[in-house]
Each structure stands twice: as C-alpha cells, then as structure tokens.
Amino acid sequence: MNLSDAPVLASRFDPRTTAQALTARRAAELRGQWSLSLAAVYVLIDPVLGDPVMTQPLPQGLSLADLNDHRSQVWGRASHALALPPGVVLDSALAPYLVELDAAEDPWLDITVGWAVQEAVASWTDTRHEGVPHRVGGWLQSAAPTPELTRMLSAWLTLSTEAATTARYLRVADRRVWSLMVHVLGAGHVAERLTPIQHWHWLDAHAAWQGLCAAAHADAQEPADPQPLARFSKAQWAVMAQGPAIHAHIAQHQARRVMTADVTVAAQSAPVSDAQWRAAVAHAGLKNKTDQEGRAP
C-alpha cells in the first residue's frame, strides 16, 4: 500500500488496542474448540523471516535432532522440525517446525495467538514493500504419532505443479499461502487429504478464525507413503504465483474498513469470504496484465 493510497486513520482506531482485544477474543475461541478434543495440539511455526522465540540465529548445518533440542530448550515444549524438499537452497534451520502444546490451558496458546493477531493487524497498516512476516502458520490437532505427522507435513512442502516453474517449495506454514491454497484447491479437496490431522485452525488476513476438519473417510484413501498435498494445474499455479499481490489487496481492503470503524467493529471482523478472494484474484490478474503491457500514455 502506498502512503498516498492509505486511508486516513480514524481517531478511534489504535492498532495496539485492536490487537489486544482481538487476541483475548481469538484465544478464548480457540481454547473453547480445543476443549472438545483429546488429540495432541501443535502450533506450526515458519521461521524463514525470523523465529519468534530464538534471540540469535541458530548455527547453520544443524541436524533435525539438534534443531529440535535447541528449540525445545527455549520453548520449554517438544519441538519437531520439518524437512525441506530436496534441492531447496535453504538451511534446515529455516524450515517450518511444530511445537507440541500442553492442551488448551498452555500459556503458549495466548502468546502464539497474540503473535498471529499482531501480524495480521500490522499488515493492515504496513507500507513496506516486503510486507509483514507471518511466523505462526496455524494450530493443529492430531492423534497420530508425531513422526507420522512430521513426515506428512514435510512431504507437503514439496511443490507439485503442471506449470513450468523453478519453484520447489510450497510454504504451507505461511498461513497466507495456506489460505490462498485452500481457496484455489477448494476446502473439500484439502480436507480429503488432511488426515492424520483432525483439525487445522488458522487466523486469516482479517485476524478471523478459519478451520478445516479432516473428511470422515479420508483415512481410507491416505497413501502409504507421504505425498505432496496436491498437484496444481497451470491455472491454479498461476493464481498461487500472484499471492503477494492478492494478499496485499485483501490487506488494503481490510485497512479501509477498520481504519474508519471503531475498535468493537474491528474485534468482530468476519472471515475473508470467497467473494473477497475472487475479487483479490481478479485485481491481481488485472494488475499483472497492466504491468506487462504498460500503462496507457
């Protein structure tokens, strides 16, 4: 968002107050959902643009076991590193990882929800070209053995597409990428492949809850070996590739709404709708076409 395009901040809107109100509300909502399940609870972290708990970057070249040891000491919880796809030129310390929480009353729930809310609210007022890092991917409930879960999620990091591209890494731990992917593939398609994850909760661009439950019969169709989550068609990958422009459009739309509303309205923000996704995709496509052809003199 250019400064010239940013709406005038309403005197009633304060990002810090809004984030505090949203955090309390969203943490209570998530805790209520968790209380209905006995499955283990994990938070998915994407450290590629900065780890939320490590004060110093980890040494390069650490094994996954060493990464788990370092992070577990800081979090005070079991940590489970994911493996990057072969050929991806990133150190293993920059791959996503899971942190196993102590059920609904774990204080890390409020902390991680707070981080995610702050990231979303910051994106509404951000004017930096690179955007706001989104480090909290989501909260997962799974009754499966942790090694099985990490193998599946690691496989999902591999991009599979019919399109010609040099990209190999699908950043499902960035909840913006995950949100767009669910829209592109369809929630039903993703739910069919969600097992052994029973529930996947995440905060969308409006800092509102989105969630997926595994399809009831999905376990019968789960392959023996972990596979990529999906094979994107050329058209689907063309939309995914415009992700930054799509996310920016949604954030700008939300900025115009909350900056002219009071804190109460912001705290009751509705989830991003399918219509808003379609509008953002259309806007990004039009912008991309304009940029390629050049603006009219």
Side-chain angles (χ1 to χ4, degrees), residues 45-84:
I45 300 295
D46 182 6
V48 72
L49 295 178
D51 192 290
V53 298
M54 308 300 294
T55 56
Q56 297 293 331
L58 288 168
Q60 292 191 356
L62 292 177
S63 67
L64 297 188
D66 287 338
L67 287 171
N68 290 338
D69 288 342
H70 278 276
R71 288 168 174 153
S72 296
Q73 291 176 19
V74 177
W75 282 90
R77 303 288 185 274
S79 171
H80 310 282
L82 305 186
L84 288 166

Side-chain angles (χ1 to χ4, degrees), residues 5-182:
D5 297 331
V8 177
L9 276 170
S11 60
R12 297 183 299 273
F13 178 79
D14 176 67
R16 179 175 298 183
T17 301
T18 300
Q20 290 173 344
L22 279 167
T23 296
R25 180 186 296 265
R26 299 297 180 251
E29 292 167 349
L30 183 57
R31 186 174 286 110
Q33 295 181 61
W34 280 0
S35 65
L36 302 177
S37 174
L38 298 178
V41 177
Y42 304 85
V43 59
L44 179 62
I45 300 295
D46 182 6
V48 72
L49 295 178
D51 192 290
V53 298
M54 308 300 294
T55 56
Q56 297 293 331
L58 288 168
Q60 292 191 356
L62 292 177
S63 67
L64 297 188
D66 287 338
L67 287 171
N68 290 338
D69 288 342
H70 278 276
R71 288 168 174 153
S72 296
Q73 291 176 19
V74 177
W75 282 90
R77 303 288 185 274
S79 171
H80 310 282
L82 305 186
L84 288 166
V88 172
V89 187
L90 279 177
D91 188 75
S92 56
L94 299 180
Y97 64 94
L98 294 168
V99 178
E100 192 167 352
L101 303 185
D102 291 338
E105 298 308 316
D106 195 318
W108 280 114
L109 182 147
D110 297 84
I111 295 170
T112 54
V113 169
W115 289 338
V117 168
Q118 290 166 18
E119 291 164 354
V121 172
S123 71
W124 302 343
T125 57
D126 182 60
T127 57
R128 298 176 301 172
H129 176 71
E130 64 273 16
V132 176
H134 282 50
R135 304 161 298 172
V136 184
W139 296 261
L140 286 57
Q141 294 175 270
S142 176
T146 305
E148 178 183 347
L149 178 61
T150 56
R151 283 195 299 270
M152 186 193 76
L153 289 173
S154 295
W156 285 8
L157 301 181
T158 298
L159 172 65
S160 177
T161 176
E162 299 170 358
T165 177
T166 58
R168 298 180 179 178
Y169 179 23
L170 182 62
R171 287 183 58 199
V172 297
D174 185 321
R175 63 185 187 275
R176 293 165 298 186
V177 176
W178 176 263
S179 292
L180 178 58
M181 185 191 68
V182 170

Side-chain angles (χ1 to χ4, degrees), residues 217-240:
H217 61 283
D219 54 346
Q221 300 180 358
E222 187 68 19
D225 296 322
Q227 299 292 325
L229 180 61
R231 181 164 178 81
F232 293 92
S233 68
K234 292 181 180 179
Q236 289 171 333
W237 183 246
V239 175
M240 294 295 297

